[in-house]
Amino acid sequence: MAEPTRILLDESEMPTRWYNIVGDLPEPPPPVLHPGTHEPVGPDDLAPLFPMALIAQEVSTERYIDIPGEILDIYRLWRPSPLYRARRLERALGTPARIYYKYEGVSPAGSHKPNTAVPQAYYNAAEGVRRLTTETGAGQWGSALAFACSQFGLDCEVWQVAASYLHKPYRKSLMEVWGATVHSSPSELTGAGRAILAEHPDSPGSLGIAISEAVEVAASDPGTRYALGSVLNHVLLHQTVIGEEALAQLAKVGDTPDVIVGCTGGGSNFAGLSFPFLREKLAGRLAPTIRCVEPAACPSLTMGEYRYDFGDTAGMTPLIKMHTLGHDFVPEPIHAGGLRYHGMSPLLSHILELGLVEAEAIAQVECFEAGVLFARTEGIVPAPEPPHPIAAAIREAKRCTETGEQKVILTAMCGHGHFDMGAYDAFFRGELVDLDYPKQEVRDAMARVPVVAG
Ligand SMILES: *Cc1c(COP(=O)(O)O)cnc(C)c1O
């Protein structure tokens, strides 16, 4: 029988537990600190923002957490997602490497984000919350949460980064179809937004600013909680269904990965794909190289310092130890909006420090070239974020062409680009250029990061 191109699992093979890598690490990640006292935060500090079930997952050291049946029922709308063998891309590259991609664009919102939006809406609804607030960069998280809230009858209010609000009007429409209310950020609706606008009336916004606005509104209303689409441990946990499925799918075709690459904005799709493989690596059963790929214009893992910083721009969140470019650093409005974040998941930052994964930065022109080649061979038009690991996979595959190695490369194709055609237009018009690493801006922002002992 010919080897399959699309490797599928039955509904009955869908994972029923999330994998928590914290239980398998040689050292636990550093604690999250209270911004005032610099003491570790307790559940009560987080209760105004998150439901108790998610706070428990955030600090859990259990290796596996069962997925509630109501969440599995919604996951079944698109899961298990397909794993593809990229035969046409391989042929175009003339490579002996075998390239696989796990495709999360089959979800209703078109990315991996509903994997965590659905459980977040579920646990909030179960604890009597009526409204969720959030930020969105490229619009993918906002639309995922809007979809999830619609499944549980929750109100959803989204602060969308101004640059993307302007350039991606259909992401806003999509959120509104699912019943959400969308504001351009910075907005006049919050103290954090007004403070930015007073200084920078034309601010393109940033994820950090939008987080400040959504957190401020949630913290001031007892019936409202906040939802974050990346960075936090419970978000990475929910995404591990991706890697668990991919492990089972590769086993079906008898392949094991030599290299795993994924893009890192806050780290969630990367962690989702790679952590189950890292578990296998820690247990000595597999030995893949696992590599984060980030934009050269916002390179928190490769250029940022590993230290305590705020998750938002206004400095309202707890202090988290992570690779950061400085909480008030505003990255250039590159087209991969989902990768424009000053920080990184603290769990993934810790894992990079432990030397269990590596990181590389790639500039946007090479990424768009890779995205277009992918669309013209595999057919799927990638969102502007996954071309980063696609470019990294192509680099690997070309090395294999030279050396004759038959490496197995696995990548996360975390979303489609149907709402991102403006970015492709800009690329074809030649307007999309490689931006220099903003050394001085990062140095200035780092000077404003709080000093924390230890
Ligand atoms: C949100 C998003 C990202 C970046 O977030 P991670 O938490 O790093 O995954 C990347 N790609 C797509 C398609 C996204 O929607």
Side-chain angles (χ1 to χ4, degrees):
M1 195 181 85
E3 282 182 57
T5 294
R6 203 160 52 113
I7 303 146
L8 302 173
L9 297 177
D10 291 335
E11 241 178 68
S12 62
E13 295 172 287
M14 194 168 78
T16 56
R17 312 184 291 179
W18 293 301
Y19 168 57
N20 179 15
I21 198 165
V22 174
D24 279 333
L25 291 179
E27 274 175 51
V32 170
L33 303 182
H34 189 280
T37 63
H38 293 189
E39 293 296 322
V41 299
D44 291 346
D45 296 310
L46 298 173
L49 290 184
F50 301 106
M52 277 301 162
L54 292 176
I55 294 172
Q57 291 180 0
E58 189 62 23
V59 298
S60 173
T61 54
E62 292 292 318
R63 296 179 68 232
Y64 292 98
I65 294 175
D66 286 333
I67 307 175
E70 282 177 70
I71 296 173
L72 291 174
D73 281 345
I74 299 176
Y75 276 177
R76 282 192 192 96
L77 294 174
W78 72 94
R79 306 213 71 83
S81 70
L83 177 78
Y84 285 84
R85 169 90 183 268
R87 294 177 190 282
R88 287 155 202 281
L89 176 61
E90 289 169 16
R91 213 175 298 147
L93 296 169
T95 180
R98 297 200 288 288
I99 304 173
Y100 292 91
Y101 58 96
K102 179 71 168 158
Y103 185 44
E104 291 295 311
V106 291
S107 80
S111 77
H112 63 289
K113 298 251 175 35
N115 295 332
T116 184
V118 170
Q120 291 194 48
Y122 167 82
Y123 289 116
N124 274 287
E127 293 184 27
V129 171
R130 290 186 307 276
R131 176 173 69 153
L132 286 179
T133 64
T134 197
E135 74 294 330
T136 194
Q140 285 137 329
W141 168 241
S143 46
L145 193 68
F147 156 68
C149 284
S150 76
Q151 292 286 318
F152 293 101
L154 289 171
D155 289 339
C156 181
E157 206 160 329
V158 182
W159 275 262
Q160 183 173 7
V161 174
S164 122
Y165 186 89
L166 212 71
H167 297 301
K168 295 191 172 180
Y170 294 128
R171 275 282 167 195
K172 171 175 171 279
S173 312
L174 184 60
M175 291 184 257
E176 289 171 346
V177 166
W178 278 313
T181 306
V182 188
H183 311 289
S184 176
S185 169
S187 77
E188 293 285 352
L189 298 166
T190 66
R194 287 189 295 270
I196 300 278
L197 287 174
E199 260 190 66
H200 308 283
D202 299 326
S203 168
S206 72
L207 271 179
I209 295 169
I211 293 173
S212 298
E213 295 202 271
V215 166
E216 184 180 321
V217 171
S220 63
D221 174 14
T224 301
R225 294 281 185 284
Y226 165 71
L228 189 61
S230 184
V231 178
L232 298 178
N233 297 355
H234 66 265
V235 179
L236 275 53
L237 172 81
H238 300 154
Q239 294 294 352
T240 57
V241 290
I242 302 173
E244 295 289 15
E245 288 178 4
L247 264 170
Q249 286 163 312
L250 281 177
K252 280 204 171 186
V253 290
D255 252 336
T256 52
D258 297 302
V259 184
I260 299 173
V261 283
C263 60
T264 45
S268 75
N269 88 83
F270 176 83
L273 178 70
S274 67
F275 283 2
F277 287 91
L278 185 50
R279 171 190 64 211
E280 300 304 304
K281 187 172 178 175
L282 289 168
R285 289 186 289 263
L286 293 176
T289 297
I290 303 177
R291 189 180 305 134
C292 311
V293 189
E294 60 183 9
C298 189
S300 52
L301 284 172
T302 52
M303 300 294 276
E305 266 182 69
Y306 182 54
R307 61 184 279 189
Y308 277 101
D309 195 5
F310 295 110
D312 71 325
T313 299
M316 289 160 51
T317 66
L319 289 163
I320 50 185
K321 195 162 184 183
M322 61 181 175
H323 290 86
T324 180
L325 299 169
H327 59 276
D328 62 6
F329 167 67
V330 178
E332 289 292 332
I334 53 166
H335 281 282
L339 308 181
R340 281 182 76 229
Y341 182 58
H342 68 270
M344 183 49 61
S345 145
L347 181 54
L348 183 56
S349 291
H350 174 65
I351 285 171
L352 180 72
E353 284 301 301
L354 290 175
L356 302 176
V357 299
E358 50 190 63
E360 97 181 295
I362 303 186
Q364 64 178 350
V365 170
E366 181 178 341
C367 295
F368 270 90
E369 284 165 357
V372 170
L373 176 62
F374 189 89
R376 290 179 182 174
T377 50
E378 294 299 311
I380 298 169
V381 180
E385 295 86 4
H388 289 75
I390 293 170
I394 289 173
R395 285 182 181 185
E396 281 287 343
K398 284 183 173 166
R399 276 193 286 271
C400 290
T401 308
E402 284 161 24
T403 62
E405 276 179 291
Q406 299 187 325
K407 280 191 182 173
V408 174
I409 304 165
L410 171 63
T411 180
M413 240 302 277
C414 49
H416 68 63
H418 298 175
F419 291 89
D420 306 285
M421 300 320 296
Y424 283 93
D425 286 345
F427 174 67
F428 290 131
R429 284 196 304 266
E431 290 168 11
L432 212 143
V433 293
D434 287 342
L435 301 159
D436 286 337
Y437 172 63
K439 209 183 290 173
Q440 191 56 45
E441 285 81 354
V442 171
R443 202 177 295 150
D444 293 347
M446 289 307 296
R448 293 184 292 267
V449 171
V451 177
V452 176

